[in-house]
């Protein structure tokens, strides 16, 4: 698989900075091309490497739609205003061609579909807000990380912190586990090997709230309202000095954007990170907004810890993609060393007892 040379070089600079803070060497080319190498994926022009996202021409521009979940496929008739659809993609492409891109995006978002208009999102640095008291400077080693995220960007950030010596607890619901768990096992193992698996009921979240209260770092990728209505928003959790709370979103946490669903390929399109230019765009890499965001997020967390923490960091995948889209994208470099996960990821809920003991030990421990 190839990616723009400038994108890979910038990612390597981020990886080098992460090594400076943690002593952990990170192979940026492996992070960006690793999933494709593991699973034998290649981008196919306007069909994403994973096959679930398409770039389509509308009346006034380009947009991308992802149909990766059963609910996405089920929503296609409602999107098109049809009673039923035999083959979704030809019908969707015909429907998109007769509409303006903004209208396509608005209707798809009303139905909760992952959609993007090309280059609709401007570049933006992570937003960082004060969040409790700071502590002395420290690194990830020995810290407790609660990883509530799913799929790729957030889990990658947590995995990099685990490699740097943090104890990472992967939090899932038995009713709705990480969607990557039901996908190819090599990818899930790559992202989650070495993490403790903790199963909770998000509708009865006393145990999860106790974990969050004990955690030094929290990583989440839910829409902000999903945690808030369960009393699990950052301000609902008892404070802990130096805590860093990382919120990974598709399109940001403001207004309507907070409710927009995103996956790596459509988020990249939203940020304008495509090859071929805006007149003749094709997908760039494999869900590239995911690994770039995960790597950038890991650096942001360790930088915050170095300054004492006490911060809420909001990072949008589309905004990260837009930052990389400002680089020259013409020259391409091969990228795709196959990762070698050392151990399988823990089965769902395998470490509940150990996590409960950790919570008890840390509840009254000094920060």
């Amino acid at each position: 698989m190839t990616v723009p040379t400038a994108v890979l070089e910038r990612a390597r600079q981020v990886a080098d900075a992460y090594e400076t803070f943690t002593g952990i060497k990170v192979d940026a080319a492996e992070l960006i091309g690793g999933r494709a190498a593991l699973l034998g994926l290649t981008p196919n022009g306007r069909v994403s490497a994973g096959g679930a996202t398409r770039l389509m021409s509308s009346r006034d521009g380009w947009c991308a739609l992802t149909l990766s979940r059963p609910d996405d496929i089920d929503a296609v008739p409602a999107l098109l205003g049809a009673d039923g659809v035999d083959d979704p993609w030809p019908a969707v492409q015909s429907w998109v061609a007769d509409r303006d891109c903004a209208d396509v995006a608005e209707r798809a978002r009303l139905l909760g579909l992952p959609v993007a208009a090309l280059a609709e999102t401007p570049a933006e640095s992570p937003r960082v807000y004060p969040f409790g008291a700071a502590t002395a400077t420290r690194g990830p080693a020995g810290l407790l990380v609660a990883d509530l995220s799913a799929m790729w960007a957030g889990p990658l950030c947590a995995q990099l912190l685990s490699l740097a010596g943090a104890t990472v607890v992967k939090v899932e619901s038995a009713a709705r586990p990480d969607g990557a768990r039901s996908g190819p096992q090599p990818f899930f193992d790559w992202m989650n090997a070495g993490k403790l698996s903790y199963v909770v009921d998000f509708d009865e979240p006393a145990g999860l709230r106790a974990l969050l209260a004990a955690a030094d770092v929290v990583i989440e990728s839910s829409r902000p309202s999903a945690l808030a209505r369960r009393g699990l928003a950052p301000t609902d959790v008892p404070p802990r000095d130096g805590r860093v709370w990382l919120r990974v979103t598709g399109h940001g946490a403001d207004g309507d954007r907070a409710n927009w669903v995103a996956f790596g390929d459509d988020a990249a399109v939203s940020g304008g990170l495509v090859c071929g230019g805006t007149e003749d765009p094709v997908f760039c890499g494999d869900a590239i907004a995911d690994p770039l965001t995960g790597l950038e997020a890991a650096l942001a967390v360790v930088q915050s810890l170095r300054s004492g923490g006490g911060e809420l960091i909001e990072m949008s995948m589309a905004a990260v993609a837009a930052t990389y889209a400002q680089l020259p994208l013409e020259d391409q470099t091969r990228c795709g060393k196959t990762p070698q996960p050392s151990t399988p990821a823990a089965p769902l809920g395998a470490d509940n007892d150990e996590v409960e003991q950790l919570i008890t030990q840390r509840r009254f421990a000094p920060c």
Side-chain angles (χ1 to χ4, degrees), residues 284-329:
C284 176
D286 171 31
I288 196 167
D290 270 306
L292 294 179
T293 301
L295 178 59
E296 294 273 354
L299 178 59
V301 169
V302 297
Q303 286 175 326
S304 179
L305 291 170
R306 177 62 67 92
S307 64
E311 293 181 327
L312 168 65
I313 303 171
E314 292 182 345
M315 185 166 286
S316 152
M317 292 201 300
V320 170
T323 301
Y324 280 81
Q326 295 177 322
L327 301 170
L329 303 178

Side-chain angles (χ1 to χ4, degrees), residues 256-348:
D256 291 340
R257 282 181 169 262
N259 295 313
W260 293 359
V261 181
F263 289 93
D265 285 303
D266 53 83
V269 172
S270 180
L273 184 51
V274 294
C275 296
T278 56
E279 297 299 318
D280 190 27
V282 295
F283 283 107
C284 176
D286 171 31
I288 196 167
D290 270 306
L292 294 179
T293 301
L295 178 59
E296 294 273 354
L299 178 59
V301 169
V302 297
Q303 286 175 326
S304 179
L305 291 170
R306 177 62 67 92
S307 64
E311 293 181 327
L312 168 65
I313 303 171
E314 292 182 345
M315 185 166 286
S316 152
M317 292 201 300
V320 170
T323 301
Y324 280 81
Q326 295 177 322
L327 301 170
L329 303 178
E330 294 79 14
D331 293 337
Q332 301 285 307
T333 299
R334 286 203 59 80
C335 167
K337 177 182 175 183
T338 303
Q340 300 294 329
S342 56
T343 59
L348 187 65

